[in-house]
């Protein structure tokens, strides 16, 4: 059984206290007890290997038995996710986080049925970030993915221009993703369309920004699974897997 991971900003010293929501979850939900191993991370690469000294009602007292830093993985995988309907956005975020995607950019594509506006936008973004946080801990990721503010099409164009490799997943593309040369460093930015796909006007704009339309395979995947499928190919191509 893998060692559970919890988030903490306080990793200094030989003794630590895990309290707040993380400590409550560890003590009351996971029911961790004295002598059990846990890892704490700040989500930015720092790790404290710990043993539970004492389990209280809603916190843990921990002894630190080791420390190390995990370098940020390269190249960085950035997924621009067209806003899906319902809870498929959280599903996409969860699976891409588990696969190792480093940055997730919500994108209000022209064919997105769902539109984030006002309070709804703030709540939806909070759900995506919470999903990434919990999935990252479950997957024992010590660099948690960043879920950015929602991006416009113009902002996505800038991401593509600045990328070491820019990709648009498209069912009519001729170039298979699996055959592309992938850089060893920099940002690999891939655009995943919503349920209706990426509109032709958007494809044209993204191509002008330097993006290459790529094909995943002979079947058409749903927006909630296309991102994790593409990320899997990229992870294997870069050697991160």
């Amino acid at each position: 059984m893998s060692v559970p991971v919890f988030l903490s900003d306080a990793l200094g010293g030989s003794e630590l206290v895990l309290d707040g929501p993380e400590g409550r979850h560890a003590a009351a939900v996971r029911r961790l007890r004295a002598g059990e191993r846990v890892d704490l991370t700040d989500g930015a690469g720092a790790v404290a290997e710990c043993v539970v000294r004492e389990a209280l009602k809603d916190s843990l007292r921990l002894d630190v038995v080791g420390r190390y830093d995990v370098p940020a993985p390269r190249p960085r995988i950035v997924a621009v996710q067209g806003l899906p309907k319902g809870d498929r956005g959280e599903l996409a975020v969860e699976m891409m986080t588990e696969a190792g995607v480093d940055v997730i950019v919500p994108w209000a594509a022209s064919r997105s049925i769902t539109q984030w506006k006002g309070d709804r936008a703030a709540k939806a973004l909070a759900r995506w970030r919470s999903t990434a946080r919990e999935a990252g801990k479950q997957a024992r990721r010590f660099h948690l993915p960043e879920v950015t503010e929602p991006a416009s099409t113009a902002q996505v164009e800038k991401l593509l221009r600045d990328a070491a490799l820019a990709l648009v997943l498209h069912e009519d593309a001729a170039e298979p993703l699996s055959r592309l040369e992938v850089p060893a460093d920099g940002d690999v930015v891939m655009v995943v369309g919503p349920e209706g796909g990426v509109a032709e006007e958007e494809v044209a704009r993204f191509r002008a920004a330097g993006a290459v339309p790529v094909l995943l395979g002979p079947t058409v995947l749903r927006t909630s699974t296309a991102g994790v499928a593409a990320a899997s190919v990229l992870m294997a191509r870069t050697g991160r897997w």
Side-chain angles (χ1 to χ4, degrees), residues 34-146:
E36 294 191 83
R37 276 271 291 110
V38 299
D39 286 339
L40 302 189
T41 180
D42 61 359
V47 183
E49 297 177 311
C50 304
V51 173
V52 179
R53 172 190 289 186
E54 183 180 9
L56 304 175
K57 181 180 178 181
D58 55 5
S59 63
L60 299 179
R61 293 180 62 197
L62 307 169
D63 290 324
V64 178
V65 296
R67 282 194 176 80
Y68 61 93
D69 291 302
V70 177
R74 309 302 304 175
R76 205 168 65 146
I77 308 299
V78 180
V80 176
Q81 175 66 58
L83 299 181
K85 60 185 178 182
D87 61 358
R88 291 194 171 275
E90 287 98 299
L91 177 60
V93 169
E94 180 179 59
M95 291 193 296
M96 288 192 290
T97 297
E98 291 174 358
V101 169
D102 303 292
V103 183
I104 300 170
V105 182
W107 170 45
S110 63
R111 292 179 178 171
S112 289
I113 297 171
T114 298
Q115 295 295 325
W116 288 4
K117 296 180 181 179
D119 290 342
R120 182 178 184 179
K123 291 178 181 178
L125 182 60
R127 287 196 301 270
W128 280 34
R129 286 174 170 167
S130 175
T131 298
R133 185 173 183 268
E134 295 307 312
K137 291 192 297 179
Q138 186 69 29
R140 288 184 53 81
R141 285 190 60 174
F142 299 123
H143 285 271
L144 292 185
E146 175 190 1

Side-chain angles (χ1 to χ4, degrees), residues 11-43:
L11 300 182
S14 59
E15 300 177 10
L16 301 174
V17 175
L18 183 66
D19 53 14
E22 293 286 279
R24 193 174 305 113
H25 182 76
V29 179
R30 295 294 297 267
R31 297 183 180 276
L32 295 173
R33 295 295 179 256
E36 294 191 83
R37 276 271 291 110
V38 299
D39 286 339
L40 302 189
T41 180
D42 61 359

